[in-house]
Amino acid sequence: MSRVGPVTEPGTRRVLTGTVLRWLRVLRDDLWTTRADPLPPSVRLRWLPQGVLCLTAFGITLGGAAQLANGGNLYSGYALLIALAQGGAVVLALWRPIPAWWLSMAATVVGAVAVHGWLPVEARTQRFTWPWTVAGIIAHLLVLLLLALRVRTRVSAEALGLTVLVTYLLEGLWGGANYQPTGMVTTVLSAVVVVLGMALRGRREARAELGRQTTLTAEERARRTLLEERSRIARELHDVVAHHMSVISIQAQVAPHLVEDPPEELKENLAGIRENALEALTELRRVLGVLRSEHPETGDLLDGSATGTAPHAPQPGLDRLEALVENTRAAGLTVDLDIKGERRPLPPGVELSAYRIVQEALSNVLRHAPGATARVEVRYTYGLIVEIVNSPPTRPAPPSPGVGHGLLGMRERVAMLDGSLTAHSLPDGGYKVMAYLPLSATDVAPGFVTDHKDGTV
């Protein structure tokens, strides 16, 4: 038992010393800096708060100089320097809050020490506010508020703790005679101001984080919408690709019977072509199964949803455009269809994309322009031009649960075919969608300027 005391006591002293040194290093790192941290302009008030603080600093300088000179019996020059430091700390806090706090503390300590020798004289007159003058209290509260708004909570708490410590050393340990103590008032008000600044800073950071999360959520939603639309287009194009592969397989199987005594090399090559085509069809079915496993297609609003079209139904083309218009009219929308030029067979992907663009545009008219009329024009030129125009709505549109797939899907389909799309409001309140779908890489629509970056013209 006699050995425990001598061994434990040095160990405890070392632990305490290490803890104190650690705290001192933390204080040095947090408060011994001149890092700039400008106060940003207000969203609504712009630079008005900064202007008000500068005017307040000017008032603090004048009031503090008068109080120190008249009530504290200091020379006017000394009183002006101390008051100027207090007012300047408020202005400095707009850009460098931590150095401003040091300046405010130094001005207060210098002023308290300078006035301390004249305190007994004040017994015959009104007592002087010490160690904090009224101007010094206002200046330091503003500095603490500006500091707490922009630094971490720990740094604000350290600045508050040192303010309380300096106040206690001046008023509690040193003290004086015949003065009006202001230490308790300063301590309470400083704590309130620091807590308020911490709360406002936390609220600002929470709102900024919420804004960042909202932006990320919107970007993720847009990305998911784009992927879903591309997946839907891929599911629809599967039937087109599968048809071509089936034709290749059948032609490769029939070709040997069309030639009398075909050579063995030809038979082997045609058999290889047919085998590759069948393998490609098998892989296409597997890809389609993956695409349909999570989001099975049940048809669209204007073409199949009401009849329960099966997921594997043939994809529509321009030959079903009249039926689409009739279904739309049955839904209550007045639609005029005008087909110009010589109708001719087009690549299945072009016909499918044109059909879907008309379908999406008419769906948007039904959802967002109640009471409007629509006109659909299809022009066969070097390529295919599809134009859908609707008149202004006659009544407000009800809230739509959609997530914006319509125009996005149109742009994706047009971009897939290296075409062009424009969609915009008209001066009379209507809306116009125009798409150009080329039939070959050399086709260019008259009057269209393609922006391949976003698919607009």
Side-chain angles (χ1 to χ4, degrees), residues 118-129:
W118 298 95
L119 290 178
V121 180
E122 298 300 318
R124 299 186 298 271
T125 61
Q126 183 181 1
R127 293 193 299 173
F128 187 76
T129 55

Side-chain angles (χ1 to χ4, degrees), residues 13 18 30 96-97 104 171-172 202 252 290 301 335 342 365 392 406-407:
R13 284 200 300 267
D30 291 344
R96 301 179 186 271
S104 178
E171 183 179 318
V290 173
L301 175 64
V335 185
E342 182 182 355
V365 176
L407 285 176

Side-chain angles (χ1 to χ4, degrees), residues 365 368-373 390-397 428-431:
V365 176
H368 305 298
T373 61
N390 65 270
S391 62
T394 59
R395 58 183 182 274
D428 62 354
Y431 203 82

